[in-house]
Amino acid sequence: MRVWFPEREFFMRADGQVRFIRISSILQMRIAGAIAAALLIWMIMVLWMLISGLISSYDRAALLEREAAVASAESRVAKYRGGLGAVAADLAKRQDFIEKSVQGAIGPLPRDLPRGTVSDSRAEADKTVRKISMVLPEAAGLAQLEARQLVFVEQLTRYADARALRAEAAMRRVGLNPSVIAAQDRNATGGPLIRLLTGPGDTIDPGFARLGASLARLNSMVQGLGRIPNTLPAGLQYISSGFGFRNDPFTGRGAFHAGLDFRGPIGTPVYAAAAGRVSFVGVKQGYGRCLEISHGNGLLTRYAHLSRIGAGVGQSVAAGSAVGAIGNNGRSTGPHLHFEVRIGDRAVDPRPFLEAPVMESKPHVRQEARADVSSPGSPGSSQ
């Protein structure tokens, strides 16, 4: 300690006189100790304030949870006593919400619903129905209807969550980030504000709010899947050259092939592999006459060596719509379609996109093409 606090001397000059002030090591250590003690006390006080705040927040959350659990059945009883007309109006709002959600987002609900991400309130709903039936027998029918609606909403939420999870898994299999797709799906949206009310007054029941979030997530994933190139780009018999390293057909040396070559006669229709917007039409070195479609989220498909182009820049195209015809121009040894999938201008293997059905409602892309074509008779290989 004396090494840290050596004895120090200071001098002061005033009125022609010089005075020396000596500060001993012990005095320095006492001052430093006092400062350290003050800092320690301050830190203990701050830590205690933080701990007290956390304890208070936890106690408040626990209290609110207990109050909600105790008041759930009692509040429903009080509401039914207040008038069956108001109850019927609230249930009508909920029924309207359910019908619009199912018809607009999912369609007919299957009988077997998966287990999943929200609680099962059937037991609690049955207890509430029994209590209301004993206290207010004339309201038993409405209570049963409300209980059925709440249980159905939970089942519908689990169904939407399960489908969204399957869609996200399909996106990850082909190297896409579902979070990025969902974020971009929220851009460029708007319209008039039409509030959705399913509870008393100007409120929405938490269960219905949760369902709305699940349906929005599912819709975002379905929209994203619609932009994944999962449709066969041409009615062809087989692939003449795959993705990756191969012997170049012109030099005979090893080279990288950035797409798939589909062999077929000149004039065979070429289809958009997914919904998107045409971003390029013209001639590129090595590709000859080609067309590119942007599908959003950095995803792009390229169709090369075309004899005819059937879409213009900026045009929106649907999956499976005709955008051109097979040709034999550019760096090509025979009639075929050179098809590429690019993510962020990086070529990736198109096979995972084309060979795996991304949703159970979408047919496998290896099914027969729309148009019957004659068996190709000439070889084809290219860029």
Side-chain angles (χ1 to χ4, degrees):
M1 295 293 291
R2 290 183 180 278
V3 174
W4 293 349
F5 301 100
E7 192 176 79
R8 302 177 186 275
E9 290 186 349
F10 301 90
F11 67 91
M12 299 175 58
R13 186 187 301 274
D15 299 329
Q17 296 182 354
V18 178
R19 294 181 179 181
F20 290 90
I21 299 175
R22 179 175 297 171
I23 302 177
S24 66
S25 299
I26 295 176
L27 179 59
Q28 295 180 55
M29 287 186 282
R30 287 176 179 174
I31 295 174
I35 295 175
L39 288 174
L40 180 61
I41 293 172
W42 177 79
M43 291 176 64
I44 292 174
M45 291 176 63
V46 171
L47 182 61
W48 174 248
M49 290 170 59
L50 291 174
I51 294 174
S52 299
L54 292 174
I55 294 174
S56 177
S57 298
Y58 176 79
D59 291 342
R60 177 174 174 78
L63 177 61
L64 291 175
E65 185 175 351
R66 288 195 300 269
E67 289 178 348
V70 171
S72 59
E74 298 297 335
S75 63
R76 300 308 297 164
V77 172
K79 180 180 175 183
Y80 278 98
R81 281 177 173 166
L84 297 183
V87 173
D90 291 341
L91 295 181
K93 293 178 185 178
R94 292 186 174 185
Q95 189 63 32
D96 183 64
F97 176 85
I98 293 173
E99 292 175 357
K100 290 180 179 178
S101 298
V102 174
Q103 294 172 3
I106 292 181
L109 195 63
R111 294 182 179 180
D112 297 329
L113 294 172
R115 298 180 179 273
T117 53
V118 294
S119 60
D120 189 342
S121 298
R122 283 178 292 184
E124 184 65 26
D126 289 341
K127 289 197 304 184
T128 303
V129 169
R130 286 195 299 270
K131 187 166 187 177
I132 291 175
S133 300
M134 289 187 295
V135 177
L136 203 62
E138 62 270 25
L142 284 176
Q144 292 172 358
L145 174 60
E146 182 177 16
R148 286 177 57 191
Q149 286 186 353
L150 294 176
V151 171
F152 177 76
V153 164
E154 290 177 347
Q155 292 175 330
L156 191 60
T157 302
R158 288 195 292 269
Y159 174 76
D161 288 343
R163 288 200 64 191
L165 287 174
R166 287 198 295 271
E168 291 177 359
M171 291 179 184
R172 291 191 181 96
R173 281 197 299 269
V174 295
L176 298 178
N177 188 336
S179 300
V180 174
I181 291 177
Q184 294 192 6
D185 188 65
R186 289 192 292 267
N187 295 333
T189 59
L193 174 61
I194 303 176
R195 296 188 181 275
L196 178 62
L197 307 176
T198 61
D202 294 339
T203 62
I204 180 171
D205 186 280
F208 285 80
R210 177 66 173 82
L211 173 60
S214 295
L215 292 177
R217 175 190 176 199
L218 172 60
N219 181 68
S220 177
M221 293 300 101
V222 171
Q223 294 293 331
L225 288 175
R227 296 189 291 269
I228 292 179
N230 190 235
T231 300
L232 198 65
L236 308 177
Q237 298 298 316
Y238 62 89
I239 296 175
S240 59
S241 185
F243 178 89
F245 290 94
R246 66 171 184 180
N247 290 328
D248 184 81
F250 289 93
T251 66
R253 297 180 179 179
F256 178 74
H257 188 226
L260 298 178
D261 287 344
F262 294 88
R263 174 178 170 181
I266 292 178
T268 301
V270 171
Y271 304 105
R277 188 178 298 274
V278 178
S279 56
F280 176 83
V281 169
V283 177
K284 285 193 173 183
Q285 184 177 4
Y287 293 97
R289 190 180 293 111
C290 70
L291 174 141
E292 295 177 354
I293 301 176
S294 175
H295 307 284
N297 308 305
L299 192 61
L300 178 141
T301 51
R302 178 177 293 165
Y303 311 77
H305 311 307
L306 302 178
S307 62
R308 178 182 59 82
I309 294 177
V313 174
Q315 179 178 340
S316 295
V317 295
S321 60
V323 294
I326 286 180
N328 182 24
N329 52 72
R331 198 169 184 271
S332 171
T333 62
H336 70 284
L337 167 69
H338 173 83
F339 174 71
E340 289 185 11
V341 175
R342 290 181 168 267
I343 301 178
D345 202 31
R346 176 177 59 88
V348 297
D349 190 354
R351 282 182 180 271
F353 293 86
L354 296 177
E355 293 182 347
V358 294
M359 287 290 278
E360 64 275 11
S361 60
K362 194 168 184 179
H364 198 287
V365 295
R366 290 296 181 190
Q367 294 176 352
E368 291 297 325
R370 295 169 179 77
D372 292 329
V373 295
S374 59
S375 178
S378 58
S381 181
S382 78
Q383 172 74 24

